[in-house]
Structures are given as C-alpha cells and as structure tokens.
Amino acid sequence: MTLTIEKKTINKVFIIDDQPAARDTMAEVIEDVNLEPIIISKQLPSLDELITELTKNADAAIVDHHLKAGNYADFDGAEAVAKLYELNFPALLITSWTDAVMDDIRLFRRRIPVLIRSRDAESGNIEKGLVKCVNELNDDYSSERRPCRTLIRIKDLNMDSQLIYAVVPAWDPDEVIRLSANLFPGNIQADLKIGMRLFAEVNIGATALDELYFENFEIAEPPVEEYAKLLHS
C-alpha cells in the first residue's frame, strides 16, 4: 500500500475534517488509492502540535478548509496546508466553499499546490493531486503553478471592506480579480490607488481564477509619457 513519486514514498495519509461522514468517505477514497488512511476525530491541538504529529506519523495529509466549526480546530485548512508546504510535506486542500472563501484561501494559495472541490475528491484526483504536490515540492512546477513576475493594474479599491480589484493583463486583460488587502505588504497597501501598477509573482499559466496566487509585490515605475499613451489607448 504505497505510492512512489520520484523518490518520495507515500503510505499513510492523515485525514483532517471536522465532519465525521466526510472523514469516513475520504478514508474510503484513500483506500481506493491503495494507501492507509489515518483519521483524526478528536479536537485538534494547536497547529504546531498537529504539524509535529503529522510529520512524525504520516507521509501526506488531506485537509478540509473549514475546521473551526464545533471547535474542531482554532485554524483553517489553508493555513495548515501552507505550513506543511513550508516543511516539504505533501498536503492537499479540500473544500466545498471555494468561491465563498477564496479571499481567505488566496492568502495562502502560493503554498497550496492542489485545491480540490469536495465533489471532485475521488481517487483519481487525489492520486493526481499527490503527484502534483510532491513534484512541486521538488521544484518541478506544473505549467499552471509556475510563478512569473508580471504586471498588475489596480482597477478599484474598497478599503472599508479591505478588498482590492485588479487586472493581470498577462493572464486575462478582461478579468477583474478580487483580492484581500492583506495580500499586500503594509507599505504598499497604504499607497494603493486606482490605476496604480505593480509587479508581482503570479502563476499566469493558471487555468481558473481560484488557482491564481500573488506574492512579492513591487510598485512599478510610472510609464514615460509616450508609453503611457499606448497603455491608455
């Protein structure tokens, strides 16, 4: 009961979900991949304690995003998966709330190689997700995940609700993307203006809006007059 990806062997997979029925269903899916599921049904410890337990007793993790319901955890799944990514530990994020919680998830999206909607969490997608995750941890990025330094244009601001609306021309010049202001460093956040241009690392090969991540923002120098006319033409 193992899955070997490059030099990484996966056998035991922790399942973290606040819903008992969902845990049991995912356990069956993991068994269909010929791996051993380990279910955590008790209230979760702190994130650091959980990370220690996971890395000592398993080879990978499947984590639901909504974990705070019923005091199951004091953190959400996106944060846990991102922390595991930093430790080079394979983890997939599962959620049925992708659109509703995208602002929260995108804060961690750079360190979440695989996000699977609950309805699509079947054995084939789980296995493919584990392969994709392990490959990225080995710096073998898929075309959808590879970071690229690119231009971003601020279309609108709503600082009362801490939301920024931006366009990434190299990804889709007609798609306005909603971003949490918390994505931006404090010094840049304070200076944001409509029409402002920035550079950031973005996975412009993403095939869907919920795959996009943003990091390492820099303010772009204003274009000189002749180029400014072209940008606005």
Side-chain angles (χ1 to χ4, degrees):
M1 297 177 69
T2 61
L3 176 63
T4 302
I5 309 164
E6 298 292 331
K7 297 181 180 180
K8 174 71 175 178
T9 298
I10 296 176
N11 179 10
K12 298 180 178 181
V13 180
F14 263 78
I15 298 170
I16 302 171
D17 194 306
D18 67 305
Q19 298 296 320
R23 293 195 294 264
D24 292 341
T25 299
M26 182 55 68
E28 293 177 1
V29 171
I30 295 302
E31 289 173 346
D32 287 342
V33 188
N34 293 318
L35 300 176
E36 179 183 346
I38 301 175
I39 293 177
I40 301 181
S41 56
K42 63 184 179 182
Q43 182 179 8
L44 298 183
S46 70
L47 180 55
D48 287 341
E49 291 173 314
L50 176 65
I51 295 297
T52 298
E53 184 176 353
L54 285 177
T55 53
K56 282 184 178 179
N57 298 300
D59 309 301
I62 309 293
V63 188
D64 182 63
H65 178 62
H66 271 90
L67 298 179
K68 293 180 179 178
N71 293 320
Y72 182 68
D74 61 2
F75 52 87
D76 278 322
E79 183 180 0
V81 171
K83 182 67 174 179
L84 289 166
Y85 183 93
E86 293 172 357
L87 299 173
N88 216 47
F89 188 91
L92 311 184
L93 185 66
I94 310 293
T95 184
S96 58
W97 294 66
T98 310
D99 297 331
V101 296
M102 199 61 237
D103 295 334
D104 297 329
I105 291 176
R106 208 184 302 279
L107 295 173
F108 303 97
R109 195 65 175 91
R110 173 64 181 86
R111 292 167 289 155
I112 302 174
V114 179
L115 171 62
I116 299 176
R117 292 177 183 265
S118 299
R119 64 172 181 264
D120 298 323
E122 50 88 21
S123 58
N125 289 333
I126 294 297
E127 183 172 355
K128 290 175 185 176
L130 289 170
V131 170
K132 184 176 181 179
C133 185
V134 171
N135 284 341
E136 182 168 319
L137 292 173
N138 288 326
D139 292 324
D140 181 10
Y141 286 79
S142 66
S143 58
E144 298 85 5
R145 285 282 299 173
R146 187 172 302 281
C148 178
R149 187 172 184 265
T150 192
L151 190 72
I152 296 172
R153 186 172 71 252
I154 304 301
K155 288 283 288 184
D156 201 359
L157 305 169
N158 186 337
M159 298 312 291
D160 290 337
S161 57
Q162 291 289 288
L163 294 175
I164 312 297
Y165 298 87
V167 171
V168 182
W171 183 68
D172 185 339
D174 298 317
E175 180 78 44
V176 178
I177 304 161
R178 185 185 69 206
L179 304 174
S180 168
N182 291 329
L183 266 176
F184 298 80
N187 61 320
I188 291 179
Q189 187 181 135
D191 292 334
L192 288 174
K193 298 177 180 64
I194 295 174
M196 186 176 183
R197 288 171 170 79
L198 304 99
F199 287 108
E201 289 186 9
V202 183
N203 54 328
I204 59 174
T207 58
L209 186 62
D210 62 19
E211 294 177 358
L212 285 172
Y213 64 71
F214 298 77
E215 69 171 1
N216 297 329
F217 289 91
E218 302 173 39
I219 296 175
E221 292 294 328
V224 295
E225 185 176 350
E226 61 217 68
Y227 292 109
K229 291 178 181 177
L230 291 173
L231 287 170
H232 290 289
S233 61

